[in-house]
Amino acid sequence: MLVSKPMPVITLNRPTIIYLYGLPGSGKSFLARSLVEVISAAHVSADRLRGELFARPRYDTQEEAIINHLMSYIAGEFLRTGVSVVFDTNAARFSQRRQIRDLARKHKADHLLVWLQIDHETAYGRTQQRDRRTTDEKFAQVMTKNIFDNKVVGMQNPKEESYVVVSGKHSFTSQKSALLNKLYQMGLVGSGTVQTNITKPGLVNLVPNPSAGRVDMSRRGITIE
């Protein structure tokens, strides 16, 4: 299956598309899969879609265009019927995020950008430890240091855009608290939902993989909203 829609716990007040931004290895797919287990939303995954369509993915411009087009179509169909969507790909550039916002407006849906922040060393170390037997990692791109660096160079940090920042090092329980607080501010969940899901931050994977190189301590500051 290309999309999944588990039994929901929280229903948003209006159809919403939640999309992601962060380094390779920051935990975007883990967050997406975990999120659709607690809110009523469809999980539309670029990695899963690519793995189903291409026996040997090339990750080139043409292939990316096909994946983005299909993801937008699938997400649009869900939004059109009033179903929220977690758009599981790295919305790395201004133009890509603008297209997602346009898609939301077309279907009179809300939109929320989630920026997962993590230091480069930890992120790259995670890409080298992927377990292809797991759902999150099975279809992920094999990441050399050169590929990782090229992807980072091509990323455009959000500017003058509405987003919520979560730490890629925190547990999902902690990430969920930040996300629900933002959804409450947007009028998408009630105060009771937030209060019953508030938790203190829980740190995970604090020590980068030694093989990833020396940690630049100046880049370890994480902003939590």
Side-chain angles (χ1 to χ4, degrees), residues 171-187:
S171 66
F172 174 68
T173 301
S174 176
Q175 294 172 337
K176 181 177 66 172
S177 296
L179 290 172
L180 288 177
N181 185 56
K182 182 65 174 181
L183 292 170
Y184 170 70
Q185 294 172 15
M186 297 171 65

Side-chain angles (χ1 to χ4, degrees), residues 46-60 63-64 67 138-142:
D47 285 343
R48 188 72 178 270
L49 186 59
R50 192 190 310 273
E52 297 286 354
L53 290 178
F54 302 103
R56 296 182 178 179
R58 301 187 307 272
Y59 301 94
D60 57 16
E63 187 176 286
E64 289 295 331
I67 296 299
K138 182 177 180 180
F139 300 109
Q141 183 178 8
V142 175

Side-chain angles (χ1 to χ4, degrees), residues 56 121-122 128 164 175 211:
R56 296 182 178 179
E121 286 77 11
T122 299
Q128 302 307 294
V164 60
Q175 294 172 337
S211 65

Side-chain angles (χ1 to χ4, degrees), residues 81-119:
T81 58
V83 177
S84 294
V85 172
V86 177
F87 203 75
D88 184 6
T89 189
N90 190 13
R93 302 188 66 80
F94 298 135
S95 59
Q96 188 177 3
R97 296 193 292 272
R98 183 172 58 249
Q99 290 172 0
I100 294 172
R101 292 192 294 270
D102 289 344
L103 178 67
R105 282 190 287 268
K106 177 181 178 181
H107 295 285
K108 297 180 174 58
D110 285 69
H111 55 84
L112 173 61
L113 173 61
V114 181
W115 184 352
L116 286 97
Q117 291 190 353
I118 190 172
D119 63 89

